[in-house]
Amino acid sequence: MKKEIHIFFTALMFFTRIPCPKWVNHDPQYLHLSSKYFPLVGIIVGSIGALIFYGASYLFSVEISLLFSIFTTIYTTGGFHEDGFADFCDGFGGGWTKDKILLIMKDSRLGTYGTVGLLLILAIKFAALREVNTLYIPLIIISAHSLSRFIATTLIYTHPYVRDTEDSKAKPAAKSMSTQMLIISGIFGIVPLFFFKNPWIFLTLIPMYLSKMFLGAKFRKWIGGQTGDCAGAVQQLSEVVFYLTIIAIWKYIW
């Protein structure tokens, strides 16, 4: 149990700014095993965003409350996944060979593709959340953060890690994943969906996974696998797909 607690706090330390006990460090072994807790970290991050939205809604409009919520989740994670998505846009937008794509994604500078991609995906998040039933927004935020991280872990499971440099900070977390770890990740990922008390909500898993398959095919074609930035891109895209699917379900089925 103590080891599992350590592994969980390792995931929390790596993917968020949330303070952790001093005895927790970035041990590569624990960081590798921590991928099963990514959706649980998503539940925590989403819950913080949901709480901010809920509290702010008593003082401000839905629009302002959503902006506060989105800002809070980005601050809580240090923009970790957003950075990965932006690097993906720059790398696959500006690179035409595996080496060039990996080199661009490793560059800390933000390019045109990354800037445009990041602005658009944040705008879609805001617009989509504005369209859903306001009463469900907190639960939707929590579910999106947990499920999208589970979808990202499926990429780690199905695609090999391709970056060769040992100084890549995401390598221990992104290099591989066992079936048992994937199942645990899936359990944490789908738990929030049960609170909707409507089985139609599970339909969101289909387009979310299809979005992963779409990006996964692109990753395999151009670089032969995945990197931490690729997993971040999958998390961001599947999060947006979740919001858009919710809108479609509400319109045609719910």
Side-chain angles (χ1 to χ4, degrees):
M1 178 59 73
K2 183 178 180 180
K3 180 181 178 181
E4 289 301 316
I5 292 174
H6 195 152
I7 294 171
F8 163 70
F9 276 120
T10 300
L12 193 66
M13 172 182 282
F14 188 75
F15 286 102
T16 74
R17 298 172 181 263
I18 298 173
C20 293
K22 293 183 178 180
W23 43 265
V24 179
N25 53 41
H26 291 92
D27 185 296
Q29 179 185 0
Y30 285 159
L31 187 55
H32 166 58
L33 295 173
S34 71
S35 55
K36 60 188 173 185
Y37 291 122
F38 292 173
L40 181 55
V41 172
I43 290 176
I44 295 171
V45 173
S47 296
I48 294 172
L51 184 63
I52 292 298
F53 171 80
Y54 184 76
S57 64
Y58 281 95
L59 298 173
F60 308 109
S61 66
V62 173
E63 291 81 4
I64 293 177
S65 300
L66 282 174
L67 289 174
F68 273 126
S69 175
I70 293 172
F71 168 80
T72 301
T73 57
I74 292 174
Y75 179 80
T76 301
T77 62
F80 194 89
H81 304 295
E82 287 79 7
D83 178 68
F85 179 78
D87 287 342
F88 154 75
C89 291
D90 278 333
F92 283 81
W96 293 98
T97 66
K98 174 181 177 179
D99 291 340
K100 186 65 174 178
I101 291 171
L102 293 175
L103 181 64
I104 293 174
M105 287 200 294
K106 188 175 175 60
D107 195 330
S108 60
R109 292 170 295 183
L110 184 62
T112 301
Y113 290 107
T115 301
V116 173
L118 197 55
L119 288 174
L120 284 175
I121 204 163
L122 290 174
I124 295 172
K125 284 184 187 182
F126 172 79
L129 282 168
R130 183 62 189 88
E131 282 197 33
V132 301
N133 189 319
T134 305
L135 293 176
Y136 282 92
I137 286 179
L139 182 55
I140 288 173
I141 291 173
I142 296 170
S143 301
H145 279 273
S146 66
L147 261 186
S148 61
R149 281 164 175 79
F150 165 59
I151 298 298
T153 61
T154 67
L155 180 75
I156 300 173
Y157 181 78
T158 59
H159 289 60
Y161 188 83
V162 296
R163 194 180 292 281
D164 296 325
T165 53
E166 292 298 323
D167 60 342
S168 175
K169 67 177 183 178
K171 182 176 182 179
K175 61 181 182 181
S176 64
M177 191 175 195
S178 69
T179 301
Q180 182 183 22
M181 290 166 63
L182 182 69
I183 292 172
I184 294 173
S185 173
I187 292 171
F188 284 123
I190 67 173
V191 161
L193 296 185
F194 289 96
F195 289 90
F196 284 92
K197 298 180 180 180
N198 191 317
W200 290 114
I201 193 67
F202 289 92
L203 286 177
T204 56
L205 288 166
I206 298 174
M208 290 179 76
Y209 193 76
L210 287 175
S211 71
K212 174 258 179 176
M213 291 179 64
F214 168 74
L215 288 183
K218 194 176 186 68
F219 300 151
R220 196 177 292 277
K221 175 183 178 180
W222 288 100
I223 62 175
Q226 54 87 19
T227 69
D229 288 332
C230 295
V234 168
Q235 186 277 321
Q236 286 291 292
L237 179 60
S238 60
E239 180 186 341
V240 166
V241 169
F242 177 79
Y243 297 140
L244 296 176
T245 306
I246 286 285
I247 294 173
I249 290 174
W250 243 300
K251 185 175 182 180
Y252 295 106
I253 300 177
W254 205 291

